[in-house]
Amino acid sequence: MTYAPESVHPEKVEHSGDQNGWKDKDKSEMSNGNVIEDACKPNLDGDKNSYVENDDQEENLPDGSPHDICLTSERSLSTVVRVQENGSDNAIYHSEDGMEVNISEIEGTPGVDNVGLAPFRNRREQSCSSRRLEEALALYEQELLEDDDEDDKDWLPFRRFAVQTKWFCTNCTMANFDDSVYCDLCGEHRNFELIPAKMLGKFEASRERLEAESKNDAVTLPSPTPSMLEESSTSSFHKRTAIGFDERMMLHSEIKMKSHPHPERPDRLQAIIASLTASGFFPGKCFPIPAREATYQELAMVHTSEHVDAVELTSCNISSYFTPDTYANRHSALAARLAAGICADLATAIMTGQAQNGFALVRPPGHHAGVKDSMGFCLHNNAAVAVMASRAAGAKKVLIVDWDVHHGNGTQEIFDSDKSVLYISLHRHEGGHFYPGSGAASEVGTFGGEGYSVNIPWKCGGVGDNDYNFAFQHAVLPIAYQFASDITIISAGFDAAKGDPLGCCEVTPAGFANMTQMLSGLSNGKMLVILEGGYNLQSISSSATAVVKVLLGDNPDPPPQDTQPSKSGLKTLLEVLEIQSKYWSSVREHYLQLQLHWQALYGRKKRKIIIRRHIVKGPVWWKWGRKRIVYEHWFARVPLRKRSS
Ligand code: Q9C
Ligand code: ZN
């Protein structure tokens, strides 16, 4: 699934550049060789590089005369959903199947009655008023009357666009019909604003500035000023928790094309930052570390050079796709380098004692990125890069706990045969039907790494605090303590959170706080939390903030002692422990205990059935012979004698 542009051979790019390993001259050369002929058309060659668009074509978009209003077929007309910014004054309308309708900006009163769009995602969207739509419509219908082409009969007039609209929940990206006010999925109000418009304006401005800067190749680090660093390191309390963040990771975002907003969106970081700020945690109690881009060598320690090159090459295209849901824009490679670099530096800071623990507030996420694949919204494997940095700073054994709702197939692959890295993942699996499909309990590691992958695969959605707590008590903690790691890295996706549109599970902020608390006793308290997935802005904000609170030393209330796992959760744990007790003596007693637990709760019915079977013995004809008499007597109410006579 690796993106490999044919016109630029990966070997052309040598890896002996500057001290960071990056070649200086590469970018311009790459972009010359990389012009795709049919720029605005999806490439249908499977999922490989499925859409590439070139700068030049972007400028050749229709200029908005009525002739330029493209029409889509009747089916797609009913599902037109979204107006997106085009970088110019043109508004582009998207239908659900990805077709576009382009209308030029028509003078009108902006924002009077917008077309039913998510309110704050992009305020340019709002400026397209229905009055403008009406005017465009009038122009189009006039054209239609003058046009006598027979072929146009199966095309519906433009009006349906204005009538059939949907809105996208700003909180969870769910598409909702126009007549509903609350999101069908997460219950948020249609006008949900996590961040007040005022603040958003500030962010938009800085996004534009950053964009301009990175275009001019004159990127300056908007890292904390020396005074900020000094100020926060004066108190020893502040030395405890480090946070890694850089605004430029918010430049990674999907370019138009699709009607539905991508769940892995810049607002995720913004939402978490806003929540940490409101709690006084950051800036404040946590101290920032300067952001750094990972070097070529750092990335090549966990990925093939072809993979690193492929990610780098995306900076030459307006839009690239590794898989249909793993996008890149021109800033994605930078964002991915920053994400990995921040994780590496946090790991180093924790290993060297500059910080007790840390939170990497990064995107794109990383745990699906394998040795040579970008997938599942992930470009580089941030956790794996952090493992390598921990090692370089002296860690002999590294524990990774992955509580993202998806299995971290990439991380598992990278350390599959590595005994010095214990990978424990809890995830929805559903017998392989849940993305990415890997992570069965039977996957334990290979080629000497057996027992160093521990998979806890939930059989269904809806898993909550109880099951997670239970799994921690009986599998994660015993195994992790026996492993005795030097640092704990948490692949902390918040998509198992209650309200997440992808995970559909039930974990609460208190649940995440407790999991953090339980892990904080490991590795002498050295703990790095790395953001992976999580797509409900409210859920991820409150969850991440609850985690940071624990990192800062706050002890959350322990979960109630009498909580029980779900039946299917208990079953999963039994399966995991049966397999893992081969490798970890610490879970053998738990395995026996859980077997008794199961017997006590669900074993009785089984025994009854067995007993009944033992009562009725003898050949079939005999059993049926006896039963026939009983059935006839009870149900047919036919006197037994009559029948036989
Ligand atoms: N039909 C993370 O949470 N969904 N990635 C693919 C294909 C991909 C999630 C659905 C979900 C990826 C980091
Ligand atoms: Zn996930």
Side-chain angles (χ1 to χ4, degrees), residues 298-351:
E298 280 179 294
L299 297 172
M301 283 174 83
V302 301
H303 297 293
T304 61
S305 53
E306 286 78 11
H307 169 92
V308 183
D309 290 337
V311 173
E312 279 308 301
L313 281 167
T314 61
S315 64
C316 306
N317 301 316
I318 293 247
S319 174
S320 319
Y321 280 84
F322 289 96
T323 67
D325 58 13
T326 309
Y327 64 81
N329 68 358
R330 264 178 304 176
H331 310 288
S332 302
L334 170 67
R337 289 196 302 270
L338 282 165
I342 285 168
C343 291
D345 278 1
L346 278 171
T348 309
I350 293 164
M351 280 310 297

Side-chain angles (χ1 to χ4, degrees), residues 486-535:
D486 301 307
I487 183 171
T488 305
I489 294 174
I490 305 180
S491 263
F494 294 110
D495 40 12
K498 192 166 159 38
D500 190 275
L502 270 64
C504 301
C505 286
E506 300 281 328
V507 181
T508 66
F512 286 112
N514 273 309
M515 290 196 279
T516 313
Q517 167 80 3
M518 289 187 272
L519 296 174
S520 66
L522 294 155
S523 310
N524 203 16
K526 292 186 185 301
M527 184 154 69
L528 169 56
V529 183
I530 298 175
L531 179 67
E532 299 281 357
Y535 308 101

Side-chain angles (χ1 to χ4, degrees), residues 419-439:
K419 292 173 84 147
S420 74
V421 179
L422 170 58
Y423 176 72
I424 306 181
S425 177
L426 309 102
H427 48 268
R428 254 181 93 172
H429 186 250
E430 292 172 13
H433 293 296
F434 196 73
Y435 188 88
S438 54

Side-chain angles (χ1 to χ4, degrees), residues 367-368 376-377 404-407 493-495 502 532-535:
H367 75 152
H368 294 304
F377 319 160
D404 185 285
V405 80
H406 303 98
H407 178 241
F494 294 110
D495 40 12
L502 270 64
E532 299 281 357
Y535 308 101

Side-chain angles (χ1 to χ4, degrees), residues 87-154:
S88 70
D89 286 332
N90 291 350
I92 294 185
Y93 289 74
H94 284 268
S95 64
E96 213 149 56
D97 54 9
M99 294 183 84
E100 285 183 359
V101 176
N102 190 339
I103 319 176
S104 70
E105 180 100 357
I106 299 165
E107 293 300 329
T109 321
V112 172
D113 172 18
N114 74 50
V115 205
L117 303 153
F120 90 74
R121 277 191 58 78
N122 183 340
R123 281 173 306 136
R124 280 188 208 180
E125 291 174 355
Q126 285 189 329
S127 69
C128 188
S129 67
S130 59
R131 182 170 144 199
R132 247 182 295 160
L133 255 182
E134 289 295 328
E135 285 171 5
L137 190 63
L139 275 169
Y140 165 69
E141 278 176 348
Q142 197 185 328
E143 284 292 312
L144 200 72
L145 289 176
E146 289 162 13
D147 193 352
D148 50 9
D149 191 344
E150 285 292 310
D151 287 347
D152 274 351
K153 276 194 173 160
D154 57 340

